[in-house]
């Protein structure tokens, strides 16, 4: 009864549910994944959870399938037209990522090259980059570095959210001051711009929704994942990069819908499997490792933030590209956040600064675009590309 796959799967899912509950009641101030990782770490250290709980829950084989499928699914959310339209934001986010990586490389004499290389994609990315690096580190026998990825992923939002919020508030005050000079004209121009952005023709998948059943959506993803695996075997480019690229280009023409896994109602279980690939690394952590990993995490984040600050705030690049240093810094730290954290921050900033419904809408929607595009650029795209590159170096 207490040794079956169903029992262990139930325990794993309950831990994830507890993380979501804490995240909900703290309004995201405490990351759900930080709570999940902490509960598993305590469970492993105390012996409450068996070290092989993920395998005993039947998730290990699912992980091998899930990574390529979720990456292809992520790729379908990339709006290439929007990225081209927001090229200044894309460049700003990319430059901040490059700067953070360059400064993190300076920590190699302190914490070692493997630790830095494995930590970089995790700091710049989210679940997918972390999962890829954890698996690669584990395969190479770098157990402490693999566990460090989990720790980094757990505290990302604690580092990024306060900075993104503070920069957003400073930028929003400038926006609202400008808006109040002529509210009617500013709102009319803003609405005209929004209408122009959303005036694309209705895609094929929207016209024929009845065709895209759960099975067809899953089939689309499986085809993309299989092709990515084949291309990964046939070329020196990692399959993760192929999966993301195939997903992004599949949406051209409007025949493949965005987020087909969500449309098939299978995304949640696959994401638990993805996170499950990170958790086993925590089982190898001892109490003596915790201090070392804490120091490594602080060093890497401090250097990453310093790199972002130099490029976006100290140098004139930020103001030249996006018109404002505060906005540039906010875009830069999106590599620690991503969706939906950035959207929540934009809403909170608008509520704090705006006084009328029009002001709040103007602030939120104006800030949403650079923050979301910045997150997509680094978290969804570049971090996965970096992970694929770093894996080839290990």
């Amino acid at each position: 009864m207490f040794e079956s796959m169903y029992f262990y799967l139930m325990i794993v899912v309950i831990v994830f549910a507890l993380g979501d509950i804490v995240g909900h009641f703290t309004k995201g101030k405490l990351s759900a994944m930080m709570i999940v990782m902490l509960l598993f770490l305590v469970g492993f250290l105390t012996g409450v959870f068996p070290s092989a709980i993920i395998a005993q829950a039947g998730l290990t084989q699912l992980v091998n399938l899930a990574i390529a499928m979720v990456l292809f699914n992520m790729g379908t959310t990339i709006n290439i037209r929007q990225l081209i339209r927001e090229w200044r934001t894309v460049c700003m986010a990319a430059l901040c990522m490059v700067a953070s990586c360059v400064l993190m490389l300076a920590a190699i004499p302190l914490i070692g090259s493997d630790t830095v290389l494995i930590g970089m994609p995790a700091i710049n990315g989210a679940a997918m980059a972390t999962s890829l690096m954890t698996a690669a580190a584990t395969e190479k026998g770098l157990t402490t570095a693999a566990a460090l990825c989990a720790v980094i992923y757990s505290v990302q939002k604690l580092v990024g959210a306060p900075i993104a919020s503070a920069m957003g508030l400073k930028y929003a005050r400038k926006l609202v001051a400008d808006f109040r000079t002529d509210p009617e004209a500013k709102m009319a121009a803003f609405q005209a711009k929004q209408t122009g952005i959303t005036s694309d023709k209705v895609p094929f998948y929207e016209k024929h929704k009845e065709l895209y059943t759960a099975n067809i959506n899953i089939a689309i993803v499986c085809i993309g994942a299989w092709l990515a695996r084949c291309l990964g075997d046939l070329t020196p480019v990692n399959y993760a990069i192929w999966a993301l690229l195939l997903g992004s280009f599949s949406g051209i023409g409007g025949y493949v819908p965005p987020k087909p896994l969500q449309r098939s109602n299978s995304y949640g279980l696959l994401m638990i499997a993805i996170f499950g690939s990170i958790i086993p690394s925590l089982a190898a952590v001892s109490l003596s490792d915790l201090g070392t990993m804490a120091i490594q995490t602080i060093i890497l984040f401090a250097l990453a933030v310093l790199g972002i600050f130099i490029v976006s705030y100290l140098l004139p690049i930020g103001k030249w590209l996006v018109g404002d240093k505060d906005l540039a810094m906010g875009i830069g730290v999106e590599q620690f956040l991503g969706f939906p954290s950035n959207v929540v921050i934009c809403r909170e900033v608008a509520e704090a600064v705006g006084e009328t419904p029009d002001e709040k809408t103007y602030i939120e929607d104006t800030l949403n675009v650079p923050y979301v595009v910045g997150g997509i650029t680094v978290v969804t795209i570049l971090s996965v590309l970096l992970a694929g590159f770093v894996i080839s170096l290990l």
Side-chain angles (χ1 to χ4, degrees):
M1 181 185 297
F2 297 107
E3 296 294 331
S4 69
M5 182 185 298
Y6 295 106
F7 174 74
Y8 289 116
L9 179 60
M10 178 189 72
I11 296 299
V12 169
V13 174
I14 285 175
V15 173
F16 277 93
L18 289 173
D20 285 351
I21 290 170
V22 173
H24 172 75
F25 282 106
T26 62
K27 296 182 178 179
K29 298 296 186 296
L30 289 178
S31 163
M33 287 314 303
M34 183 186 74
I35 300 301
V36 169
M37 297 299 175
L38 183 62
L39 288 174
F40 274 111
L41 179 60
V42 172
F44 290 139
L45 289 173
T46 58
V48 173
F49 294 158
S51 60
I53 189 171
I54 298 299
Q56 290 168 308
L59 293 174
T60 303
Q61 290 302 314
L62 186 57
V63 169
N64 297 329
L65 295 172
I67 292 177
M69 293 175 69
V70 172
L71 279 169
F72 179 87
N73 187 73
M74 282 172 56
T76 64
T77 66
I78 298 171
N79 187 326
I80 296 173
R81 290 191 186 93
Q82 185 185 38
L83 293 180
I84 293 171
R85 213 164 33 231
E86 297 293 330
W87 68 271
R88 292 178 179 274
T89 299
V90 171
C91 290
M92 189 71 255
L95 286 172
C96 286
M97 175 182 166
V98 171
S100 67
C101 288
V102 169
L103 262 71
M104 280 189 279
L105 289 173
I108 288 177
L110 292 174
I111 60 179
S113 59
D114 288 334
T115 301
V116 172
L117 288 174
I118 290 168
M120 284 194 305
I123 278 188
N124 293 321
M128 290 311 308
T130 304
S131 177
L132 289 167
M133 296 316 304
T134 302
T138 302
E139 186 179 334
K140 297 292 183 179
L142 305 169
T143 54
T144 304
L148 180 66
C149 289
V151 174
I152 287 171
Y153 180 67
S154 300
V155 301
Q156 272 180 319
K157 290 178 176 56
L158 293 179
V159 177
I163 301 173
S165 181
M167 296 299 104
L169 285 168
K170 291 179 71 175
Y171 181 61
R173 293 188 187 103
K174 299 171 193 174
L175 281 178
V176 80
D178 179 60
F179 182 85
R180 287 169 182 167
T181 59
D182 192 349
E184 291 184 5
K186 295 289 183 182
M187 200 63 189
F190 174 73
Q191 289 172 342
K193 182 181 177 182
Q194 292 295 96
T195 302
I197 290 174
T198 58
S199 61
D200 295 334
K201 65 179 182 179
V202 179
F204 179 87
Y205 68 83
E206 282 288 349
K207 292 179 182 177
H208 305 281
K209 291 180 180 179
E210 68 282 356
L211 288 175
Y212 291 87
T213 63
N215 289 336
I216 289 175
N217 279 303
I218 292 175
I220 290 170
V221 175
C222 287
I223 291 169
W226 174 73
L227 286 173
R229 279 288 186 177
C230 291
L231 290 168
D233 292 338
L234 294 171
T235 68
V237 180
N238 189 271
Y239 78 92
I241 297 175
W242 282 117
L244 193 70
L245 292 175
L246 287 172
S248 62
F249 285 107
S250 69
I252 296 175
Y255 296 103
V256 174
K259 300 182 180 179
L261 284 179
Q262 283 89 327
R263 291 168 184 263
S264 67
N265 297 317
S266 54
Y267 182 73
L269 181 59
L270 289 176
M271 282 309 297
I272 287 178
I274 294 293
F275 292 127
S277 68
I278 303 170
I279 290 164
S281 63
L282 296 174
V285 176
S286 64
L287 285 172
S288 60
D289 293 327
L290 294 179
T292 301
M293 287 193 296
I295 293 170
Q296 292 171 339
T297 301
I298 291 169
I299 290 172
L300 289 175
F301 272 112
L303 290 172
V305 172
L306 180 59
I308 294 168
F309 177 73
I310 291 171
V311 169
S312 63
Y313 223 86
L314 290 185
L315 298 177
I317 300 172
K319 189 169 185 179
W320 177 75
L321 272 177
V322 296
D324 187 271
K325 289 185 175 182
D326 296 319
L327 177 60
M329 184 77 177
I331 291 169
V333 296
E334 288 309 306
Q335 61 185 271
F336 305 145
L337 296 170
F339 182 86
S341 301
N342 42 25
V343 174
V344 172
I345 288 171
C346 292
R347 187 181 305 123
E348 290 175 346
V349 167
E351 289 292 329
V353 177
E355 294 180 0
T356 66
D358 279 354
E359 287 180 359
K360 292 177 182 179
T361 300
Y362 182 73
I363 293 169
E364 182 177 350
D365 290 355
T366 301
L367 197 58
N368 254 334
V369 174
Y371 271 29
V372 171
V373 170
I376 290 171
T377 300
V378 179
V379 176
T380 305
I381 303 173
L382 296 183
S383 67
V384 175
L385 300 182
L386 178 62
F389 174 72
V390 169
I391 288 170
S392 66
L393 299 178
L394 295 177

